[in-house]
Structure formats: C-alpha cells, structure tokens
Amino acid sequence: MSQTQADDVMKSRPLYGRLVPKQGSYHFIVADGEGGEAVASLLNAAPDMKPRAHIIYIPGANGTDLTGMVSGLGARVFHPAPSYASASQRINKVLGDAHMGLQLYAAGTEGLIGQVQRDAMAAGLPHDALTTEQRGSLARRVQCVHCKGITENVTLDPFVCAHCGLNLFVRDHYSRRLAAFQGVCIDAEDPGEVPPSEERFK
Amino acid sequence: MSLDAPFKDPFFRDESFFGDYSYRNSPHAVKRFPFPFPEDDYMYSVNMEPHVKGRPGSVFEHYFDVDEHYVSEMRDRARVLEQDPLRCQSLPHMTLAGWDLLELIMEKFAEDYPHWFSLTKDGNRWHWINRPLGIDQKFTFLDESTLPYGPFEYITRQAQGDFTLQDQREDNLWIEAGMVTSQADWSLDFDIGMNFHEWHAPVPLAHQMGIFDRALKFLLALQYGAPVRRFNWTMTVDPLLDTSPENYPKWGPSKTTMTPETIGQRQHLRVELQTLIRLPRSNAICFPIRCYLISLDDLVTQPKWARRFHRVIRGLPDELATYKGFIRNKPMILEYLARFDDGAPTSPGWWPED
C-alpha cells in the first residue's frame, strides 16, 4: 500500500462552493463550528428565506460554538444539537419528508458536509442537490480500512484508530457514500516503526 | 454448492493460496502464463485491444479462461467470503446487470468447456451443471428467489477472477457491484458507489498523463459484442490471491521476510488480465479482473521473459515500484533477475518462443 499522495486536486475529493440563496419553498440548513458564519451571511443576504428556514447547528469539535449567534438569526425553526449523531434521526426525517422545492445547505467542516451529502443521497436527492461551504477546521473523518470504524475530527497524520488502535496514515481517497477518507495501517510491514505525527488537517 | 469432492478431474490442482501456500504452476501452466510485457520497458498506457480468441492453448483461447487452478481458486473465494462478507456487494439497482453476467458466464463456459459445464434452457427455466464444483441447479432466469444467492454472487462464486459491474449514467461509470477476493490492494467496500475518476484517485502519475480521461471516453463508447482487454501487473510475496487492504496488517510483514535464498520461490509476478464487456439488458459494463501468479523461479525458465523482466524492473520509476508495493524488495529482485540477463536482444511481443 502506497503513501503516495495524489496530485494537486485529488480526484475523489469533493469541491465546495459558497452558500448562496436558491429559489425554494423550504430551506433546510445544517452547519457546524465556523459554518455558523456562512449561515449568517446566507440569511442576511436573503432575509426573505427566514420564515421558511430550518437550521440545525452543531458546535465545532475545535471548540467554536456560535449557537447564540445562529439562534438569533430569525429562522422559523432553530435546533441546536451537540453532535451530528444526535441530530441524524431528525435530519433523515426532514430529508425523507422533503417535497419538491426543498433546498438543502451544509456549512462547516468537511466531515459535516460529507455526512449531510451522504444522508441526502440515501434519501434519494441527487448528490449535487446540495449547496455547500467549507469553513473552519480542516479536520477529517477517516474510516479505518481494516476495522471499518470511523474516527471523527482527525487532525494528525498518522493517527491512532479510535476503534482498533492501529496506527493509520490518511490516504487522499474519499468516499461520498461513507463521507470519509481512507485510513491505512502505516506500520504493517514494520510494526512499531511509526513516523512522528504532524498536524496536517488543522 | 458442494465443494466436498471437487478434484475428481485430475486436471484441477488441489492447492492453497494462504497458510502453507501449496499453489504451483504445472509446466504447462508456466508455458501459457500471460507474460504482460511486449517490450523491454514499461510505462502506463491505455493499452486496450479487442478481446478476441487467440492462440490455442493460450489464456486467450476462450472467452473466459478456466485453468488448472479453477477449483482451488473457487474454494479460496468461499473461504475469503466467509471471513469477510463485505467482499461481495451489489447495490440494489445492479441486479439486472448481475443476471446479464450470469447469462454470459454460463453460456460461454458451456460453449467453450462442454465437458465441464452445461446449460439448457426451456424458456426462462434454466438448468445449469457445473461438474468441477459439483453443482446441479435448476432455476428461473430473472427470478432471484430460485437461486441460493443473488445472480451476481451466485455466478461469480463459480468463475475465476474478481468482477465489478459499472453502471453508466451522467457520462460516467459508477462502480456499483463487485466480487473482490483476489485484489491488488484495493477495497470494494470503500470504493463502491464511486465514479471512474474517484475510484482511480490513488493511482500516481496516470491522471496527469490524461490516461483516465482517455480511458473513460473509450469505455463510454464500448459496444455490446465488442469486448476489449488489457493487462495490469504488480508483485506479490507468496501466492496470496487475497492481498486486500483490509488484511494488510496480516500479509504486509511477508515482504520483510524474503531472503536471497527464498526469493525465487516466494516472489511472484502478479498479472491481471482485465476484460471490459458491455452487458445487453442493463447497459452496464462488466469488468473481470483475472489474476495469474508465477514465481520468479518459474518465470526465468523462459529465457526471453527472464531477460525482459529484468530490464522492465530496472527501468521502472521508483514512484511506480512504491505504488505497486515492492520498492523495499526491488534491489533483491534485480539482483536475482540480473543473473538471467546476458544482454542479448529480445524479440517483440510476449510469447516466450517467438
């Protein structure tokens, strides 16, 4: 298994844009951490969205918590959640109930955006039906290719799998279906020979 | 499926691809090995050619090659699937493509190897006999409830090589089904659902060379009835078919225990004969990836191959040797092969005696 990092733009890596208002009868917005600022820009640019907006906001794993600011934006529904996992049933219900005209937005970390995109695809929305903006931490969600466990908010490379404890390097290979990068054992051939971790995804 | 008494036909070798690694090529199998280098150097290319019948006795003689390792390979596949059921997955909309593939394999096997396989049809009521694996199955074509597995898993448990099925939409190919137990270090479970550029993302150099753009364009236009093929290759220590990333911590250390005394028996050239086939009902593309393994000791019995392989490895960029996973043993491999290269010219093409 190679540690070769792909070229300038990794071919399986998603590209992100900016949150811009879209025509729609209902606006479902999921954000974490610094993504709250993107939500504020969005609603301030298009205040007529507010009566038809539903926001779920999750504080960032890096400590950024804009709950107070986002709750004051005037959305029809504001739901603060402590984690994506705690909000996922609610997100899936809203996506499952979606009618024509629902617009979906995600802002914040790549892990948050990826999970919203994954759940939207599972609900039958096309993978480009989502407006995204990456803000804040570059931390990654990484799936251990060996035990299949996903470690959230990975900033170091290599890092220790939160599930099986193997030393993993982060391969530049991204699965939209899993909303995760791939982690591969770095010392399989020479157990214990692990290079020092670097903060690659701050 | 009964694999209890599979070796009644002495043509099929009773051997293992793990543990004691009793896998061997007979002298006949060495002679017909698909040596993948038509020239003395190697670089990526799309290198596709029509998949047409080739020389009698060669791996191109039939549409699908069933060789002396067939029964043991199917036993190894069953073992791997039992240990890790995620190695065979098919997204729900790929079932029709699975039937397409089942039909293709059954028809070609029965046509090319009538002494081993037979298929009789009465409308949609089909009767399939696979004598080497001891299977006698009556079922209704396109009715999943009449088979012990889904059609894709059912038939790929009876055919050598890995298989993936690609759906075609949005001017792209999407890998949405796979039977992957003899892979060169890629994960179906991770890659399933990706498009063509996404699942090739980890390959170095080739993106910048435009290889994947050209290959995709070519494949989107692939016609029914006009399959194509190409080779790929890597190196594997011990005849292990299942070099999966999932199990990398188990097999990775084998790379560190090879010595100059054991390299000839343990280091294998791993060749993939890849075929690309448009399927009729689903319009999906089927991608069989057939793996052939040959030890260096067997390879160098063919002087032309020995000379050429030495030159290929010597000229290979380190980036590719790293990606292919043998950079740490490259010096030892070169040292071994150099003894068989007297510098004499080699003839063009891959046949050993042309």
Side-chain angles (χ1 to χ4, degrees), chain A residues 132-202:
Chain A
T132 60
E133 180 166 341
Q134 189 178 13
R135 289 256 187 150
S137 166
L138 298 177
R140 293 181 169 186
R141 296 182 92 222
V142 183
Q143 189 203 38
C144 173
V145 74
H146 313 293
C147 80
K148 307 292 184 187
I150 287 177
T151 303
E152 304 280 350
N153 299 305
V154 173
T155 57
L156 301 177
D157 188 20
F159 72 102
V160 175
C161 175
H163 301 265
C164 69
L166 284 175
N167 298 300
L168 305 180
F169 73 91
V170 183
R171 215 175 185 206
D172 263 346
H173 196 25
Y174 182 82
S175 162
R176 275 182 287 101
R177 190 180 65 91
L178 300 169
F181 287 84
Q182 188 175 59
V184 179
C185 185
I186 197 167
D187 58 338
E189 297 178 23
D190 305 284
E193 281 188 29
V194 182
S197 288
E198 289 177 36
E199 191 172 38
R200 267 187 70 204
F201 321 113
K202 197 169 180 179

Coordinates of all heavy atoms in Angstrom, one line a residue, chain A residues 132-202:
Chain A
T132 N -23.0 23.8 -0.6 CA -22.0 23.6 0.5 C -21.0 24.8 0.6 O -20.7 25.5 -0.4 CB -21.2 22.3 0.2 OG1 -20.5 22.5 -1.0 CG2 -22.1 21.1 0.2
E133 N -20.5 24.9 1.8 CA -19.4 25.9 2.0 C -18.6 25.3 3.1 O -19.1 25.1 4.2 CB -20.0 27.3 2.4 CG -18.8 28.3 2.6 CD -19.3 29.7 2.6 OE1 -20.4 30.0 2.1 OE2 -18.5 30.6 3.1
Q134 N -17.3 25.2 2.9 CA -16.4 24.7 3.9 C -15.9 25.8 4.7 O -15.3 26.8 4.2 CB -15.2 23.9 3.3 CG -14.4 23.2 4.3 CD -13.3 22.3 3.7 OE1 -13.0 22.5 2.5 NE2 -12.7 21.5 4.4
R135 N -16.0 25.7 6.0 CA -15.5 26.8 6.9 C -14.9 26.1 8.1 O -15.3 25.1 8.6 CB -16.7 27.6 7.5 CG -17.3 28.5 6.4 CD -16.9 30.0 6.6 NE -17.6 30.9 5.7 CZ -17.9 32.1 6.0 NH1 -17.5 32.6 7.2 NH2 -18.5 32.9 5.2
G136 N -13.8 26.8 8.7 CA -13.3 26.3 9.9 C -12.3 25.2 9.8 O -11.5 25.1 8.8
S137 N -12.3 24.3 10.8 CA -11.3 23.3 10.9 C -11.2 22.4 9.6 O -12.3 22.1 9.0 CB -11.6 22.4 12.1 OG -10.9 21.2 12.0
L138 N -10.0 22.0 9.2 CA -9.8 21.1 8.1 C -9.8 19.6 8.6 O -9.4 18.7 7.8 CB -8.6 21.4 7.3 CG -8.5 22.8 6.7 CD1 -7.2 23.1 6.1 CD2 -9.6 23.0 5.7
A139 N -10.2 19.4 9.8 CA -10.2 18.0 10.4 C -11.0 17.1 9.5 O -12.0 17.5 8.8 CB -10.8 18.0 11.8
R140 N -10.6 15.9 9.4 CA -11.2 14.9 8.5 C -11.9 13.8 9.3 O -11.5 13.4 10.4 CB -10.1 14.3 7.6 CG -9.6 15.2 6.6 CD -8.5 14.6 5.7 NE -8.2 15.5 4.6 CZ -7.4 15.1 3.6 NH1 -6.8 13.9 3.6 NH2 -7.1 16.0 2.7
R141 N -12.9 13.2 8.7 CA -13.5 11.9 9.1 C -12.7 10.9 8.4 O -12.5 11.0 7.1 CB -14.9 11.7 8.7 CG -15.9 12.7 9.3 CD -17.3 12.3 8.8 NE -17.9 11.3 9.7 CZ -18.6 10.2 9.4 NH1 -18.8 9.9 8.1 NH2 -19.2 9.5 10.3
V142 N -12.2 9.9 9.1 CA -11.4 8.8 8.4 C -11.9 7.5 8.8 O -12.1 7.2 10.0 CB -9.9 9.0 8.8 CG1 -9.1 8.0 8.1 CG2 -9.4 10.4 8.6
Q143 N -12.1 6.6 7.8 CA -12.5 5.3 8.0 C -11.3 4.4 8.0 O -10.5 4.4 7.1 CB -13.5 4.7 7.0 CG -14.1 3.4 7.4 CD -14.6 2.5 6.2 OE1 -14.0 2.5 5.1 NE2 -15.7 1.8 6.4
C144 N -11.1 3.6 9.1 CA -10.1 2.6 9.1 C -10.4 1.5 8.1 O -11.5 0.8 8.3 CB -9.9 2.0 10.5 SG -8.8 0.7 10.7
V145 N -9.6 1.2 7.1 CA -9.9 0.2 6.1 C -9.8 -1.2 6.7 O -10.4 -2.1 6.2 CB -9.0 0.4 4.9 CG1 -7.6 -0.2 5.2 CG2 -9.5 -0.3 3.7
H146 N -9.2 -1.3 7.9 CA -9.0 -2.6 8.5 C -10.2 -3.0 9.4 O -10.9 -4.0 9.2 CB -7.8 -2.6 9.3 CG -6.6 -2.1 8.5 ND1 -6.1 -2.7 7.4 CD2 -5.9 -0.9 8.7 CE1 -5.1 -2.0 6.9 NE2 -5.0 -0.9 7.6
C147 N -10.6 -2.1 10.3 CA -11.7 -2.5 11.2 C -13.0 -1.8 10.8 O -14.1 -2.1 11.3 CB -11.4 -2.1 12.7 SG -11.6 -0.4 13.1
K148 N -13.0 -0.8 9.8 CA -14.1 -0.1 9.3 C -14.7 0.9 10.2 O -15.7 1.5 9.9 CB -15.3 -1.1 8.9 CG -14.8 -2.2 7.9 CD -14.4 -1.7 6.6 CE -14.1 -2.9 5.6 NZ -13.5 -2.4 4.3
G149 N -14.1 1.1 11.4 CA -14.6 2.1 12.3 C -14.2 3.5 11.8 O -13.1 3.7 11.2
I150 N -15.0 4.5 12.0 CA -14.7 5.9 11.6 C -14.3 6.7 12.8 O -14.9 6.7 13.8 CB -16.0 6.5 10.9 CG1 -16.2 5.8 9.5 CG2 -15.8 8.0 10.8 CD1 -17.4 6.3 8.8
T151 N -13.1 7.4 12.6 CA -12.6 8.3 13.6 C -13.0 9.7 13.1 O -12.7 10.1 12.0 CB -11.1 8.1 13.8 OG1 -10.8 6.8 14.1 CG2 -10.6 9.1 14.9
E152 N -13.6 10.5 14.0 CA -14.1 11.8 13.7 C -12.9 12.8 14.0 O -12.1 12.6 14.9 CB -15.3 12.2 14.5 CG -16.5 11.3 14.4 CD -17.3 11.5 13.1 OE1 -17.1 12.5 12.5 OE2 -18.2 10.7 12.9
N153 N -13.0 13.9 13.3 CA -12.1 15.1 13.6 C -10.6 14.7 13.7 O -10.0 15.0 14.7 CB -12.6 15.7 14.9 CG -14.0 16.2 14.8 OD1 -14.3 17.0 13.9 ND2 -14.9 15.7 15.7
V154 N -10.1 14.1 12.7 CA -8.7 13.7 12.6 C -7.9 14.9 12.2 O -8.2 15.5 11.1 CB -8.5 12.5 11.7 CG1 -7.0 12.2 11.5 CG2 -9.2 11.3 12.2
T155 N -7.0 15.4 13.0 CA -6.1 16.5 12.6 C -4.7 16.0 12.4 O -3.9 16.7 11.7 CB -6.1 17.6 13.7 OG1 -5.7 17.0 14.9 CG2 -7.5 18.2 13.8
L156 N -4.3 14.9 12.9 CA -2.9 14.4 12.9 C -2.8 13.3 11.8 O -3.7 12.5 11.6 CB -2.5 13.8 14.2 CG -2.6 14.8 15.4 CD1 -2.2 14.0 16.7 CD2 -1.7 16.0 15.2
D157 N -1.6 13.2 11.3 CA -1.3 12.2 10.3 C 0.2 11.8 10.5 O 1.1 12.6 10.4 CB -1.5 12.7 8.9 CG -1.4 11.6 7.8 OD1 -1.5 10.4 8.2 OD2 -1.2 11.9 6.7
P158 N 0.4 10.5 10.9 CA -0.5 9.4 11.2 C -1.2 9.6 12.5 O -0.8 10.5 13.3 CB 0.4 8.2 11.3 CG 1.7 8.6 11.6 CD 1.8 10.0 11.0
F159 N -2.3 8.8 12.7 CA -3.1 8.9 14.0 C -3.5 7.5 14.4 O -3.3 6.5 13.6 CB -4.3 9.8 13.8 CG -5.4 9.1 12.9 CD1 -6.5 8.5 13.5 CD2 -5.3 9.1 11.6 CE1 -7.5 7.9 12.8 CE2 -6.3 8.4 10.8 CZ -7.4 7.9 11.4
V160 N -4.0 7.4 15.6 CA -4.4 6.1 16.1 C -5.9 5.9 15.9 O -6.7 6.7 16.3 CB -4.0 5.9 17.6 CG1 -4.5 4.6 18.2 CG2 -2.5 6.0 17.8
C161 N -6.3 4.8 15.3 CA -7.7 4.5 15.1 C -8.4 4.4 16.4 O -8.0 3.7 17.3 CB -7.9 3.2 14.3 SG -9.6 2.7 14.1
A162 N -9.5 5.2 16.5 CA -10.3 5.2 17.8 C -10.9 3.9 18.1 O -11.4 3.7 19.2 CB -11.3 6.4 17.7
H163 N -11.0 3.0 17.1 CA -11.7 1.8 17.3 C -10.8 0.6 17.6 O -10.9 -0.1 18.6 CB -12.6 1.5 16.1 CG -13.6 2.6 15.8 ND1 -14.9 2.5 16.3 CD2 -13.5 3.8 15.2 CE1 -15.5 3.6 15.9 NE2 -14.7 4.4 15.3
C164 N -9.8 0.4 16.6 CA -9.0 -0.8 16.8 C -7.6 -0.5 17.3 O -6.8 -1.4 17.6 CB -8.9 -1.6 15.5 SG -8.0 -0.8 14.2
G165 N -7.2 0.8 17.3 CA -5.9 1.1 17.8 C -4.7 1.0 16.9 O -3.6 1.2 17.3
L166 N -5.0 0.6 15.6 CA -3.9 0.6 14.7 C -3.4 2.0 14.4 O -4.1 3.0 14.4 CB -4.3 -0.1 13.4 CG -4.4 -1.6 13.4 CD1 -5.0 -2.1 12.1 CD2 -3.1 -2.3 13.7
N167 N -2.1 2.1 14.0 CA -1.5 3.4 13.5 C -1.9 3.6 12.1 O -1.4 2.8 11.2 CB 0.0 3.4 13.7 CG 0.4 3.2 15.2 OD1 0.0 4.1 16.0 ND2 1.1 2.2 15.5
L168 N -2.6 4.6 11.8 CA -3.1 4.8 10.4 C -2.5 6.1 9.8 O -2.4 7.1 10.4 CB -4.6 5.0 10.4 CG -5.5 3.8 11.0 CD1 -7.0 4.2 10.9 CD2 -5.2 2.5 10.4
F169 N -2.2 6.0 8.5 CA -2.0 7.2 7.7 C -3.2 7.5 6.9 O -4.0 6.6 6.6 CB -0.7 7.2 6.9 CG -0.8 6.3 5.6 CD1 -1.2 6.8 4.4 CD2 -0.4 5.0 5.7 CE1 -1.2 6.1 3.3 CE2 -0.5 4.2 4.5 CZ -0.9 4.7 3.3
V170 N -3.4 8.8 6.6 CA -4.6 9.2 5.9 C -4.3 9.3 4.4 O -3.5 10.1 4.0 CB -5.1 10.6 6.4 CG1 -6.4 11.0 5.7 CG2 -5.3 10.6 7.9
R171 N -5.0 8.4 3.7 CA -4.8 8.4 2.3 C -5.7 9.4 1.6 O -6.9 9.6 2.1 CB -5.2 7.0 1.8 CG -4.4 6.5 0.7 CD -4.8 5.0 0.4 NE -4.0 4.5 -0.7 CZ -4.3 3.5 -1.5 NH1 -5.5 3.0 -1.4 NH2 -3.5 3.1 -2.4
D172 N -5.3 10.1 0.6 CA -6.1 11.0 -0.1 C -7.1 10.3 -1.0 O -7.0 10.4 -2.2 CB -5.2 12.0 -0.9 CG -5.0 13.3 -0.2 OD1 -5.7 13.5 0.8 OD2 -4.1 14.1 -0.6
H173 N -8.0 9.6 -0.4 CA -9.0 8.8 -1.1 C -10.3 9.0 -0.3 O -10.3 8.7 0.8 CB -8.6 7.4 -1.2 CG -9.3 6.6 -2.2 ND1 -9.9 7.1 -3.3 CD2 -9.5 5.2 -2.3 CE1 -10.4 6.2 -4.1 NE2 -10.2 5.0 -3.5
Y174 N -11.3 9.5 -1.0 CA -12.5 10.0 -0.3 C -13.8 9.2 -0.8 O -13.9 9.1 -2.0 CB -12.7 11.5 -0.4 CG -13.9 12.0 0.3 CD1 -13.8 12.3 1.7 CD2 -15.1 12.2 -0.3 CE1 -14.9 12.8 2.4 CE2 -16.2 12.7 0.3 CZ -16.1 13.0 1.7 OH -17.2 13.4 2.4
S175 N -14.6 8.7 0.1 CA -15.8 8.1 -0.3 C -17.0 8.9 0.1 O -17.2 9.2 1.3 CB -15.9 6.7 0.4 OG -17.3 6.3 0.3
R176 N -17.8 9.4 -0.9 CA -19.0 10.1 -0.6 C -20.0 9.2 0.2 O -20.8 9.7 1.0 CB -19.6 10.7 -1.9 CG -19.0 12.0 -2.3 CD -19.7 12.5 -3.5 NE -19.3 11.8 -4.7 CZ -20.1 10.9 -5.3 NH1 -21.3 10.6 -4.8 NH2 -19.6 10.2 -6.3
R177 N -20.1 8.0 -0.2 CA -21.0 7.1 0.4 C -20.8 6.9 1.9 O -21.7 6.9 2.7 CB -20.9 5.7 -0.2 CG -22.0 4.7 0.1 CD -21.8 3.4 -0.6 NE -20.5 2.7 -0.2 CZ -20.5 1.9 0.8 NH1 -21.6 1.5 1.5 NH2 -19.3 1.3 1.1
L178 N -19.5 6.9 2.3 CA -19.1 6.8 3.7 C -18.9 8.2 4.4 O -18.8 8.3 5.6 CB -17.9 6.0 3.9 CG -18.0 4.6 3.4 CD1 -16.6 3.9 3.3 CD2 -18.9 3.7 4.3
A179 N -18.8 9.2 3.5 CA -18.4 10.6 4.0 C -17.1 10.5 4.8 O -17.0 11.1 5.8 CB -19.5 11.2 4.8
A180 N -16.1 9.8 4.2 CA -14.9 9.6 5.0 C -13.7 9.4 4.1 O -13.9 8.9 2.9 CB -15.0 8.4 5.9
F181 N -12.5 9.8 4.5 CA -11.3 9.5 3.9 C -10.9 8.1 4.3 O -11.5 7.5 5.3 CB -10.2 10.5 4.3 CG -10.4 11.8 3.6 CD1 -11.2 12.8 4.1 CD2 -9.7 12.1 2.4 CE1 -11.4 14.0 3.5 CE2 -9.9 13.3 1.8 CZ -10.7 14.3 2.3
Q182 N -9.8 7.5 3.7 CA -9.4 6.2 4.0 C -8.2 6.2 4.8 O -7.2 6.9 4.5 CB -9.1 5.4 2.7 CG -8.8 3.9 2.9 CD -8.7 3.2 1.5 OE1 -7.8 3.6 0.7 NE2 -9.5 2.3 1.3
G183 N -8.2 5.4 5.9 CA -7.0 5.3 6.8 C -6.4 3.9 6.6 O -7.1 2.9 6.6
V184 N -5.1 3.9 6.5 CA -4.4 2.6 6.2 C -3.2 2.4 7.2 O -2.5 3.4 7.5 CB -3.8 2.6 4.8 CG1 -3.1 1.3 4.5 CG2 -5.0 2.8 3.8
C185 N -3.1 1.3 7.7 CA -2.0 1.0 8.7 C -0.7 1.4 8.1 O -0.3 1.0 7.0 CB -2.0 -0.5 9.0 SG -0.9 -1.0 10.3
I186 N 0.1 2.2 8.9 CA 1.3 2.7 8.4 C 2.5 1.8 8.8 O 3.6 1.9 8.1 CB 1.6 4.2 8.9 CG1 2.7 4.8 8.1 CG2 1.9 4.2 10.4 CD1 2.7 6.3 8.3
D187 N 2.3 1.0 9.8 CA 3.5 0.2 10.2 C 3.2 -1.3 10.1 O 3.7 -2.1 10.8 CB 3.9 0.5 11.7 CG 2.7 0.3 12.6 OD1 1.6 0.3 12.2 OD2 3.0 0.2 13.8
A188 N 2.4 -1.7 9.1 CA 2.0 -3.1 8.9 C 3.3 -3.9 8.6 O 3.4 -5.0 9.1 CB 1.0 -3.3 7.8
E189 N 4.2 -3.4 7.8 CA 5.4 -4.1 7.4 C 6.5 -4.1 8.5 O 7.2 -5.1 8.5 CB 5.9 -3.6 6.0 CG 4.9 -3.8 4.9 CD 5.3 -3.3 3.6 OE1 6.6 -3.1 3.4 OE2 4.5 -2.9 2.7
D190 N 6.5 -3.1 9.2 CA 7.5 -3.0 10.3 C 6.7 -2.5 11.6 O 6.8 -1.3 11.9 CB 8.5 -1.9 9.9 CG 9.2 -2.3 8.6 OD1 10.0 -3.2 8.6 OD2 8.8 -1.6 7.6
P191 N 6.1 -3.4 12.3 CA 5.2 -3.0 13.4 C 6.0 -2.2 14.4 O 7.2 -2.5 14.8 CB 4.8 -4.3 14.0 CG 4.8 -5.3 12.9 CD 6.0 -4.8 12.0
G192 N 5.5 -1.0 14.8 CA 6.1 -0.2 15.8 C 6.9 1.0 15.2 O 7.2 1.9 15.9
E193 N 7.2 0.8 13.9 CA 8.0 1.9 13.2 C 7.0 3.0 12.7 O 6.6 2.9 11.5 CB 8.9 1.3 12.1 CG 10.1 0.7 12.6 CD 11.1 0.3 11.5 OE1 11.1 0.9 10.5 OE2 11.8 -0.7 11.7
V194 N 6.7 3.9 13.5 CA 5.7 4.9 13.2 C 6.3 6.3 13.2 O 6.9 6.7 14.2 CB 4.5 4.9 14.2 CG1 3.4 5.9 13.8 CG2 3.9 3.5 14.3
P195 N 6.3 7.0 12.0 CA 6.9 8.3 12.0 C 6.1 9.2 12.9 O 4.9 9.0 13.2 CB 6.8 8.7 10.5 CG 5.8 7.8 9.9 CD 5.7 6.6 10.8
P196 N 6.7 10.3 13.3 CA 6.0 11.3 14.2 C 4.8 11.9 13.5 O 4.8 12.1 12.3 CB 7.1 12.4 14.5 CG 8.4 11.9 13.9 CD 8.1 10.8 13.0
S197 N 3.7 12.1 14.3 CA 2.5 12.7 13.8 C 2.7 14.1 13.5 O 3.4 14.8 14.2 CB 1.4 12.5 14.8 OG 1.0 11.2 14.9
E198 N 2.1 14.6 12.3 CA 2.1 16.0 12.0 C 0.7 16.5 12.0 O -0.2 15.7 11.6 CB 2.8 16.2 10.6 CG 4.2 16.0 10.6 CD 4.8 16.2 9.2 OE1 4.2 17.1 8.5 OE2 5.7 15.4 8.8
E199 N 0.5 17.7 12.3 CA -0.8 18.3 12.3 C -1.1 18.7 10.8 O -0.8 19.9 10.4 CB -1.0 19.5 13.2 CG -2.4 19.9 13.4 CD -2.6 21.0 14.5 OE1 -1.7 21.8 14.6 OE2 -3.6 20.9 15.2
R200 N -1.7 17.8 10.1 CA -1.9 18.1 8.6 C -3.2 18.8 8.3 O -3.4 19.4 7.3 CB -1.8 16.8 7.8 CG -0.5 16.5 7.3 CD -0.5 15.2 6.4 NE -1.2 15.5 5.1 CZ -1.9 14.6 4.4 NH1 -1.9 13.3 4.8 NH2 -2.4 14.9 3.3
F201 N -4.2 18.6 9.2 CA -5.6 19.0 8.9 C -6.1 19.9 10.1 O -7.0 19.5 10.8 CB -6.5 17.8 8.8 CG -5.9 16.6 8.0 CD1 -5.6 15.4 8.7 CD2 -5.5 16.8 6.7 CE1 -5.0 14.4 8.0 CE2 -4.9 15.7 6.0 CZ -4.7 14.5 6.7
K202 N -5.5 21.1 10.2 CA -5.8 21.9 11.4 C -7.2 22.5 11.3 O -7.6 22.9 10.2 CB -4.8 23.0 11.5 CG -4.7 23.7 12.8 CD -3.5 24.6 12.9 CE -3.5 25.3 14.3 NZ -2.3 26.1 14.5

